Amino acid sequence: MKHFFKIFLVFLIGFASHMDAKPYQDIHISVSLRTNVHNVTKNIWYPTITAALAEASNNNTIEVYRGTYNEAVVISGFTNLVVANMTSPINDVVIDGATFANAVTITNSSHIQFGGFKIKNAVSNGIYLANTTSASLVFNYIASNNDHGIKLGTNSKRVIMASNNIFTNQGCGICMWNANSNTIQDNIISRNAAKMNGPYAGIAILNGNGNRVLNNSRIANNHNTGIGMWGGPQNNYIQANTIISNSIAISIGTTNYRGNIRNNVVTNNIMNRNSVGVMFEAARPNRVVNNIIAYNSQSGVLFRYEASTNVVLENNMIKSNTQTGIDIQVACVGIENRLNTIRGSSSGIRFMAGTMSMEKNNIMSNSQWNMVLYQPVKITNDWFGSTIASSIGSMISNYSGYSNFTPYRLFGRFDITPGADTVRLPSITWMTAISSVSAATLKWLKPASVSGFTRYFVYRSTNGGYTNLSQAQRIWQTNDQNVTNYVDTGVPKAGKYYYCVTSLDDALTYTNEAWYSYQAAAVVGTYSIIATNTNLSYSSLAFNAMSPTNISFVSNIGSLPCQVIGQLNDFTNQSGSYVWDVTNTTGFNRVRVDCMVTTNATPTSWFTVDNQTQNFVLYTTLPIQKKIYLYTRVITPSSSSSLGPYRSRIRVQAIKP
């Protein structure tokens, strides 16, 4: 029903007695004046929201039309009440609280729906709630209030704040004080928190439990912090928010507002281009999981001022933060880093004090250091972008010592997607390599049946030691798990080579590879020497002496170090028969040959050739392109001088050492 104000105008036309009386006429004029606030349930119109609320009842719907309402809207003691702009653009329905503490106050109520307004200029808060449950604050523009955009006071719970644009408030965009089980979702919260002395943020959770901050498309350019959890908040859930260009994206705990901050979860958020991504101070068990923390001007994750305990950092992509990926500046206890990728910063992790565990992290491609360690920490189960120990060690600044950093990964970095398979297969326990001149024949034992096992890699290196292998040294692979042998005919040059084999699973993006098998060595190549002056001639005058003409040079011209062996060929006494005797040089026709080998022209000691027809060792290991000097002499008794002259030839041969 509309209010109609009727104006009745009666024109009485009278004439003098000389005139006849005429009948009068009633003229009815009806004017309709509609105001801008409509109680739809009661079908009554009001000039202000306050007037409508004064006559409203539970279960009413109040629709507010275009206009600026210079009033303090107070909703108190209602249940199931809707107050909303349903037809006009939000900027056209304004609640201006310029002279009021709060532009909108909702207290002692439940199931309130309030939305569609531009709320501005309050002396304190744009919207203030206390002792209110199950309210919805949706589709509001809340701006330029002197304190908070929305403040939830004590005993406010199950309040949904959704699809609001909250900006340029001097305090927090949203402040929840001792408020539990509330939801902040799909809001834009920006350019708030200009006040510097206090716990101000785009969103501040002070002592509240069980609150959820979800899917907020933009928490940006807030002067202090994007989201702050201070005092003693517990079991809060921060998920799928974009938090950019704040001083700190998320702050968990603070020395000034300390408390039992525990069991809060930060997950699936994007925290880019802040000064710091996540900062911890005096926080208890909390989890930061599966976030992107990138391009922040200082640190991706920072622990400072007062120690935090039992914080879990898991499955996060922490990249391209200017100074440090993870910076632990205080003696924290029980920090767990697992399955994070930390790359592209000046330093990947700086660990100054406390205790920290590392498991299956990718720490690589940081410009100065992958890790800066002031405290010992076990880092064996991580991937540093290499399997070569010297390369890994060169990127770790070690101030206090660290444990063995033998790389856990062989194939490549870990898949940090939550739930991904990151367990490598068992190692192959037996392998052998058989040497030959042209190839190395490898054989290994198939591992026991393992879920996901699909293939083998074969590695070859010129140096022993497991930590010297890389993917560049993988020479062969097979996708048939029943193939357990390989012949390597492709060695680049002759020499000694070390082989090992690994098994791999069927993961697609990031393959899990077994640790190296037992390492087997094989020698592949040629042994070759050249000898000069091996035809030996002894005159009858050369008893028990050596002649300069009997010096030979033996040079290794092969591709491998070799052993040099000799054999006397065609030893003759041109004057008659003789007896070879290595122990007794007295007696008729007794004779033997002595040799001397040196690496220079300086004589050393003689040795006797035991048998004139069998091989004897001249030199145990002759290096490549090296030579030896070989001297020979014939030993006879002086009484046998008539037996000369003697002639012979020494046959020299190179074999494997």
Side-chain angles (χ1 to χ4, degrees), residues 574-602:
Q574 294 180 344
S575 299
S577 62
Y578 64 91
V579 176
W580 194 270
D581 189 343
V582 299
T583 59
N584 185 9
T585 58
T586 62
F588 184 72
N589 291 345
R590 304 289 177 175
V591 69
R592 75 169 190 260
V593 172
D594 289 348
C595 292
M596 181 168 55
V597 176
T598 67
T599 57
N600 51 46
T602 302

Side-chain angles (χ1 to χ4, degrees), residues 38 58 96 115 214 239 245 385 392 416 434 611:
H38 185 202
N58 294 334
D96 192 331
L214 310 171
Q239 180 182 19
S245 300
I392 298 172
I416 66 169
I434 301 172
N611 190 296

Side-chain angles (χ1 to χ4, degrees), residues 176-180 205-211 230 232-234 236 264:
M176 295 190 290
W177 187 281
N178 293 319
N180 304 322
I205 304 173
L206 295 154
N207 302 311
N209 300 329
N211 298 288
W230 301 313
Q234 300 181 20
N236 297 286
N264 301 288

Side-chain angles (χ1 to χ4, degrees), residues 146-198:
N146 194 51
D147 205 348
H148 308 304
I150 299 174
K151 181 176 181 180
L152 271 62
T154 302
N155 295 325
S156 294
K157 56 186 178 181
R158 294 192 297 277
V159 176
I160 297 174
M161 292 156 278
S163 301
N164 300 288
N165 190 345
I166 305 172
F167 56 97
T168 62
N169 298 284
Q170 294 298 301
C172 301
I174 298 175
C175 177
M176 295 190 290
W177 187 281
N178 293 319
N180 304 322
S181 303
N182 302 289
T183 299
I184 303 172
Q185 183 171 352
D186 294 316
N187 300 282
I188 298 174
I189 303 173
S190 64
R191 295 172 288 153
N192 302 285
K195 292 183 176 180
M196 300 302 293
N197 297 319

Side-chain angles (χ1 to χ4, degrees), residues 68-95:
T68 297
Y69 297 85
N70 298 301
E71 56 181 304
V73 176
V74 178
I75 300 172
S76 181
F78 283 97
T79 300
N80 294 319
L81 180 70
V82 177
V83 180
N85 159 32
M86 301 180 185
T87 59
S88 302
I90 295 175
N91 277 322
D92 291 345
V93 185
V94 179
I95 300 175

Side-chain angles (χ1 to χ4, degrees), residues 409-457:
R409 296 290 284 177
L410 299 181
F411 189 86
R413 58 181 177 163
F414 291 98
D415 185 353
I416 66 169
T417 304
D421 176 12
T422 60
V423 180
R424 68 186 180 199
L425 301 175
S427 299
I428 294 170
T429 57
W430 179 86
M431 182 187 180
T432 186
I434 301 172
S435 304
S436 71
V437 173
S438 59
T441 301
L442 312 177
K443 296 181 180 180
W444 59 87
L445 186 66
K446 178 181 177 180
S449 178
V450 178
S451 176
F453 167 49
T454 60
R455 52 185 169 147
Y456 298 105
F457 280 178

